[in-house]
């Protein structure tokens, strides 16, 4: 027993990342660059929602987009067709971005003439929630086909999100998805979360989401 070493861990393993995230956030605040971290599971409609958001805001703000994926450049190519700056970030197999990786993306995007930078994070509901990217605000998408119980199964994602977009409401009649129960579960995890039911495909509900985001950007930029 005398040969056993006992180590007391007094600092979170995420502490270094948190410090880097706070530093990046402060720098972006000084530069008046609003960074939105957009998260969701694959197939929830992130890119389509992003296209709607860009269309609504590109005449008001200079926008740049960082598309994070394990491989391919499909999403970045799609976003580039809107006329906004876009780059693809390959994570080398990692299922998330941390603050250091986000800083590399910011440098590659060149935000010197950007008001709104959007990070479309890697698609899953676990890893991206664990790492602070330095974003001004976190947003996530929950799509109707995924089920209304996801806030119970993936609590951290909903706890750290400032806004939850419930997407694909056009298919509500075809799925066993209780919208009011979903809102209840979301607010059980995060009472302060803003919830917007939307359909990125048709544009329903997008105006309310964009109005919220517009206000956040203006407040951030002063």
């Amino acid at each position: 027993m005398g040969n056993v070493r006992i180590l007391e861990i007094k600092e979170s393993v995420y502490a270094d990342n948190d410090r880097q995230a706070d530093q990046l956030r402060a720098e972006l605040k000084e530069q008046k660059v609003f960074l939105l971290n957009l998260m969701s599971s694959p197939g929830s409609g992130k890119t389509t929602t992003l296209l709607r958001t860009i269309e609504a805001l590109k005449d008001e703000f200079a926008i740049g987009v960082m598309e994070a994926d394990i491989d391919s450049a499909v999403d970045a190519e799609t976003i580039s067709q809107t006329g906004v700056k876009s780059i693809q970030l390959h994570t080398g197999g990692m299922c998330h971005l941390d603050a250091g990786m986000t800083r590399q993306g910011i440098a590659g995007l060149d935000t010197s003439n950007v008001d709104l930078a959007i990070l479309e994070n890697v698609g899953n509901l676990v890893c991206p929630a664990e790492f602070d990217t330095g974003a001004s605000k976190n947003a996530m998408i929950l799509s109707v086909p995924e089920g209304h119980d996801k806030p119970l199964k993936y609590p951290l994602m909903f706890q750290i999100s400032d806004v939850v977009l419930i997407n694909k409401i056009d298919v509500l009649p075809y799925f066993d998805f209780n919208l009011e129960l979903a809102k209840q579960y979301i607010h059980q995890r995060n009472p302060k979360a803003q919830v917007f039911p939307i359909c990125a495909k048709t544009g329903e509900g997008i105006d309310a989401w964009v109005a919220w985001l517009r206000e956040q950007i203006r407040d951030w930029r002063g």
Side-chain angles (χ1 to χ4, degrees):
M1 293 294 292
N3 294 326
V4 175
R5 297 179 63 204
I6 299 175
L7 303 179
E8 295 187 19
I9 306 300
K10 297 184 180 295
E11 189 171 33
S12 166
V13 294
Y14 299 109
D16 182 59
N17 181 76
D18 290 345
R19 283 191 290 268
Q20 292 186 52
D22 287 340
Q23 183 177 356
L24 177 58
R25 194 159 26 244
E27 291 173 9
L28 292 174
K29 176 72 171 177
E30 186 174 345
Q31 297 164 16
K32 296 188 176 182
V33 177
F34 184 96
L35 174 60
L36 176 70
N37 179 27
L38 182 61
M39 301 170 287
S40 78
S41 59
S44 67
K46 276 201 308 295
T47 304
T48 306
T49 301
L50 191 48
L51 289 171
R52 287 281 184 181
T53 304
I54 290 169
E55 184 62 31
L57 293 175
K58 67 179 183 179
D59 291 336
E60 299 177 53
F61 304 105
I63 301 173
V65 177
M66 298 172 285
E67 289 286 349
D69 282 301
I70 292 174
D71 204 350
S72 91
V74 173
D75 289 343
E77 291 170 357
T78 299
I79 295 299
S80 69
Q81 295 174 15
T82 66
V84 304
K85 297 171 74 174
S86 67
I87 62 170
Q88 186 73 49
L89 307 179
H90 285 169
T91 64
M94 297 184 70
C95 58
H96 67 276
L97 265 71
D98 59 22
M101 297 160 73
T102 302
R103 180 181 288 280
Q104 293 179 57
I106 289 288
L109 183 65
D110 182 10
T111 57
S112 57
N113 294 307
V114 168
D115 305 317
L116 168 62
I118 303 173
L119 170 61
E120 185 175 340
N121 216 316
V122 181
N124 74 86
L125 296 181
V126 181
C127 304
E130 295 178 341
F131 292 86
D132 189 344
T133 60
S136 313
K137 294 291 181 181
N138 292 316
M140 68 88 56
I141 301 173
L142 169 65
S143 66
V144 166
E146 294 175 77
H148 57 253
D149 59 354
K150 288 299 178 288
L152 302 180
K153 295 181 177 181
Y154 302 95
L156 184 59
M157 175 60 74
F158 293 87
Q159 288 168 3
I160 62 99
S161 293
D162 299 287
V163 61
V164 177
L165 305 176
I166 301 180
N167 192 25
K168 304 186 181 182
I169 58 173
D170 56 321
V171 298
L172 274 171
Y174 310 106
F175 287 87
D176 184 19
F177 187 99
N178 187 318
L179 184 57
E180 293 308 312
L181 199 53
K183 293 178 181 179
Q184 178 182 323
Y185 289 156
I186 291 167
H187 287 135
Q188 180 179 321
R189 295 303 188 190
N190 183 354
K192 295 182 179 180
Q194 297 288 323
V195 180
F196 297 105
I198 67 167
C199 176
K201 182 178 180 180
T202 66
E204 183 179 357
I206 292 294
D207 285 349
W209 148 242
V210 167
W212 179 88
L213 181 55
R214 180 185 292 112
E215 182 180 358
Q216 302 304 310
I217 298 169
R218 288 176 174 169
D219 287 347
W220 182 263
R221 291 172 53 78

